[in-house]
Amino acid sequence: MKFAVITFGCQMNVHDSQWLARAMRARGWEEVPEAEAEVFILNTCSVREKPEQKVYSCLGRLAPLIGRAPGRFAAVGGCVAQQVGRGFFERFPFVRLVFGADGVARAPKALDELARDPRARVSLLDFLPGYEEREQALPPAEVTAGEATAVSAFVNIMQGCDNFCTYCIVPFVRGRQKSRAPSEVLAECRALAARGVREITLLGQNVNAFGLDGQGQGVSFAALLDQVAGLPGLSRLRFTTSHPKDLAPEVVEAFARHENLCPQLHLPLQAGSDAVLKRMGRRYDRARYLSLVRDLRSARPDLALTTDLIVGFPGETEEDFGQTLEMMETVRFAGAFSFKYCDRPGTAAERMEPKVDAAQAGERLARLQNLQDRITEGYLGEQVGREVTVLVEGPSRRQDGAGAGAMGRDAWGRVVN
Ligand code: SAH
Ligand code: SF4
Ligand code: F3S
């Protein structure tokens, strides 16, 4: 069968999609551009309203393409699939497979079955008690079409999240935290390095809590990091995402200990006011965050810190918001992803009052983004004239024609064209 994968959401989804495409190719399926596909696999994100809406509009766009052409169908996986489940079968009759976070591992087999039996429908929505290992985890030794970044790879170290930040739907759609066996993580990293992968990013919703669920064979995240960093041939190691409450001193010190641990950390702050952080259920305050930043920068003075910020959380006052701006000025993030708060079904914040007026939240977001633009500009200005080593991932999309260049990243995670 000819298939196309359409991905929304975070790096965990990107990684799941890459794996799924590889598993289907290994089963003899052919990955093609969307216009030529018979089977469409959507990997979806539910973290905010916008990405969720994109899923419905994408299915609407695909409907005429799939039409009544025999044999054609769609599969919906990921976080919206977990949330809506079999509801997709009713709304979009051409959807014949739904699979959630823990269903990914069994999706390739299900897709094969559906291709053979045109009347069947399958749902894989159960959460499993532990991390399920998957078939064909490795990319092929040679660079293949659609996978230009064979020098850089993601490796899952866990699934799910136990934090229940009050605004967040992830724990509901991704399930409880389940650490992967460190021996499996190491085996995959070792095999990737042997295939020429030079950069590995360890992935999880809260990597610093690795093992705290009792499933990590007694290995802490810091210890896992030490083991992976020590693998021969691995020149760059990164990890994401970190929660400030779980970032252990041993992990902070790892930035001084390992030369191949890249000087880059994504450390979501979310808000700068202690009152808002408390209502968000984040379990740290400004002082804790600032002391972490100090420790991190003393371990690695050139560390590039990036963050996530939410404006307009229920009850956020102008003064609370001012404290977020103040934190941004103090920390001087190299970059920030910022979002307007939106209600997500089933979360605690959905029931919190008062909601911030949408126009006011929009105005705050614009002010915040202006400030970050200025900070980012200053930060990038300091880089002018510096020489950096870039790990080339593939041809640059910014340039074409004669003299087209390459695209890669420096150790600080900055894209260089
Ligand atoms: N596990 C990661 C990422 C979670 S989702 C972490 O803990 O940092 C990515 C980002 O989406 C979050 O950091 C948060 O800033 C944002 N986000 C999550 N739920 C949201 C909501 N209901 N409204 C607006 N932004 C939200
Ligand atoms: Fe969501 Fe919080 Fe878990 Fe991140 S740590 S995925 S924001 S509940
Ligand atoms: Fe989105 Fe699910 Fe990732 S909700 S951010 S795809 S964990």
Side-chain angles (χ1 to χ4, degrees):
M1 298 288 282
K2 293 182 179 172
F3 74 100
V5 186
I6 303 166
T7 306
F8 306 91
C10 62
Q11 282 153 315
M12 274 144 277
N13 265 17
V14 172
H15 174 254
D16 284 348
S17 291
Q18 287 173 348
W19 171 82
L20 195 55
R22 231 152 36 220
M24 294 322 292
R25 291 200 300 262
R27 285 166 179 264
W29 288 41
E30 188 190 347
E31 195 173 8
V32 295
E34 242 180 83
E36 295 158 38
E38 299 163 299
V39 178
F40 300 83
I41 306 168
L42 277 67
N43 199 2
T44 65
C45 174
S46 179
V47 78
R48 285 173 298 277
E49 264 154 32
K50 247 191 227 159
E52 187 185 344
Q53 285 313 320
K54 278 190 199 161
V55 176
Y56 304 122
S57 56
C58 180
L59 285 169
R61 180 171 60 79
L62 291 178
L65 237 136
I66 299 178
R68 273 165 284 276
R72 287 199 184 174
F73 66 95
V76 182
C79 297
V80 183
Q82 191 74 56
Q83 186 191 335
V84 176
R86 302 178 64 89
F88 273 112
F89 295 156
E90 276 110 64
R91 275 188 71 177
F92 302 96
F94 55 85
V95 172
R96 294 177 50 217
L97 168 66
V98 290
F99 59 96
D102 288 2
V104 187
R106 280 162 299 152
K109 191 164 163 272
L111 285 163
D112 257 346
E113 283 163 12
L114 290 169
R116 278 195 302 269
D117 179 359
R119 278 161 320 178
R121 277 181 166 169
V122 178
S123 60
L124 304 169
L125 298 167
D126 290 341
F127 286 118
L128 306 172
Y131 186 97
E132 193 176 41
E133 287 299 326
R134 304 170 179 181
E135 63 179 61
Q136 284 284 335
L138 294 177
E142 76 283 3
V143 178
T144 48
E147 240 174 315
T149 57
V151 292
S152 179
F154 293 125
V155 172
N156 263 346
I157 68 165
M158 62 188 358
Q159 184 73 271
C161 180
D162 283 348
N163 283 323
F164 290 93
C165 301
T166 56
Y167 50 80
C168 187
I169 199 171
V170 169
F172 301 93
V173 289
R174 236 35 193 197
R176 292 292 62 69
Q177 181 183 308
K178 298 178 283 260
S179 296
R180 188 178 179 192
S183 50
E184 297 285 355
V185 173
L186 270 172
E188 186 176 344
C189 293
R190 198 176 284 122
L192 286 167
R195 282 172 183 236
V197 167
R198 289 290 157 264
E199 174 179 82
I200 285 178
T201 304
L202 302 177
L203 284 184
Q205 286 297 351
N206 180 11
V207 290
N208 292 279
F210 180 85
L212 299 183
D213 47 72
Q215 296 187 33
Q217 300 172 336
V219 175
S220 69
F221 180 61
L224 183 69
L225 211 50
D226 285 345
Q227 291 176 19
V228 178
L231 289 176
L234 191 65
S235 38
R236 287 181 175 185
L237 179 58
R238 307 181 197 271
F239 56 85
T240 201
T241 302
S242 293
H243 192 304
K245 82 174 159 58
D246 293 315
L247 191 64
E250 295 77 26
V251 176
V252 174
E253 286 150 23
F255 282 99
R257 224 167 30 241
H258 300 295
E259 220 210 312
N260 58 354
L261 186 58
C262 290
Q264 177 230 336
L265 182 68
H266 187 64
L267 192 63
L269 169 65
Q270 310 298 2
S273 138
D274 284 346
V276 173
L277 285 172
K278 189 148 202 220
R279 286 202 304 280
M280 286 179 161
R282 293 289 287 178
R283 287 177 274 168
Y284 55 84
D285 58 12
R286 298 159 60 84
R288 155 83 179 158
Y289 193 93
L290 288 173
S291 97
L292 269 178
V293 170
R294 262 193 308 276
D295 294 349
L296 284 161
R297 285 185 172 150
S298 76
R300 188 69 80 86
D302 61 346
L303 189 77
L305 273 174
T306 54
T307 202
D308 289 348
L309 296 163
I310 297 177
V311 303
F313 186 79
E316 184 188 70
T317 62
E318 186 57 32
E319 196 191 336
D320 290 325
F321 173 65
Q323 294 188 332
T324 299
L325 298 181
E326 192 194 297
M327 282 292 274
M328 292 165 67
E329 300 258 24
T330 308
V331 179
R332 302 195 70 76
F333 295 106
F337 298 100
S338 46
F339 314 101
K340 230 192 296 183
Y341 167 83
C342 57
D343 280 335
R344 302 308 289 136
T347 60
E350 190 191 16
R351 299 182 299 273
M352 287 183 193
E353 295 291 341
K355 299 289 193 244
V356 173
D357 170 72
Q360 185 159 45
E363 185 255 346
R364 284 180 190 166
L365 186 66
R367 273 158 70 199
L368 182 151
Q369 289 178 340
N370 269 335
L371 173 61
Q372 185 57 45
D373 284 351
R374 260 202 293 123
I375 295 172
T376 303
E377 212 177 300
Y379 168 77
L380 290 176
E382 290 161 23
Q383 316 305 318
V384 173
R386 290 216 179 134
E387 241 173 66
V388 293
T389 303
V390 172
L391 182 64
V392 174
E393 292 178 13
S396 170
R397 270 184 291 176
R398 284 278 188 85
Q399 305 145 314
D400 40 44
M407 171 271 170
R409 275 170 213 275
D410 69 11
W412 294 268
R414 300 175 292 225
V415 172
V416 179
N417 281 292

